[in-house]
Amino acid sequence: QVQLVESGGGLVQAGGSLRLSCSASGRSFNSAAMGWFRQAPGKEREFVAADRWQGTNTYYADSVKGRFTISRDNANNRVYLQMNGLIPEDTAVYYCAADLPPWGSRYYLPSMYEYWGQGTQVTVSS
């Protein structure tokens, strides 16, 4: 069955870095638009980053632009989110999501994505 699994979360001090991984199985996601979202306690799921075409068409939320980078390793059917300069406001459960063709255009909306991982916790202490 098709599955996305996130890993790499943890506890880090402000200013530190983490690299989240999203491993896909069950099929190739090379042609999929991939997204990262996060959800903090008591808040709605929030767009973080997206790659609509194999690393060539990337988008970022204003809150993370310049600090986070989405990338893809097609050979291993994997997507990454490199997070640098972490701040306490980044604390959330981070989710990986995939949208297979035909692609939607609203990459910033959770409703565009058909497949989701279970999430990985990122906690940033001050």
Side-chain angles (χ1 to χ4, degrees):
Q1 59 184 25
V2 176
Q3 187 174 24
L4 302 177
V5 179
E6 303 95 337
S7 63
L11 175 63
V12 64
Q13 290 186 329
S17 298
L18 286 173
R19 189 191 194 194
L20 305 184
S21 296
C22 175
S23 296
S25 61
R27 64 163 296 150
S28 173
F29 283 82
N30 291 351
S31 64
M34 303 297 298
W36 286 96
F37 290 76
R38 66 188 183 186
Q39 188 165 20
K43 297 184 178 180
E44 295 183 356
R45 192 162 296 189
E46 175 188 28
F47 168 73
V48 176
D51 170 19
R52 296 194 67 213
W53 183 246
Q54 301 191 154
T56 66
N57 196 5
T58 58
Y59 302 86
Y60 298 92
D62 289 342
S63 59
V64 306
K65 191 172 185 178
R67 299 188 296 120
F68 291 10
T69 303
I70 186 171
S71 61
R72 187 185 299 239
D73 179 0
N74 286 336
N76 291 290
N77 216 21
R78 188 172 296 167
V79 177
Y80 302 101
L81 183 68
Q82 178 67 45
M83 305 186 296
N84 298 326
L86 287 163
I87 58 177
E89 289 78 9
D90 296 321
T91 296
V93 176
Y94 283 71
Y95 298 91
C96 175
D99 174 34
L100 297 177
W103 305 283
S105 61
R106 298 183 179 183
Y107 57 86
Y108 49 88
L109 293 179
S111 60
M112 189 183 102
Y113 300 87
E114 300 97 71
Y115 301 98
W116 291 83
Q118 296 300 305
T120 185
Q121 176 71 48
V122 172
T123 302
V124 184
S125 62
S126 60

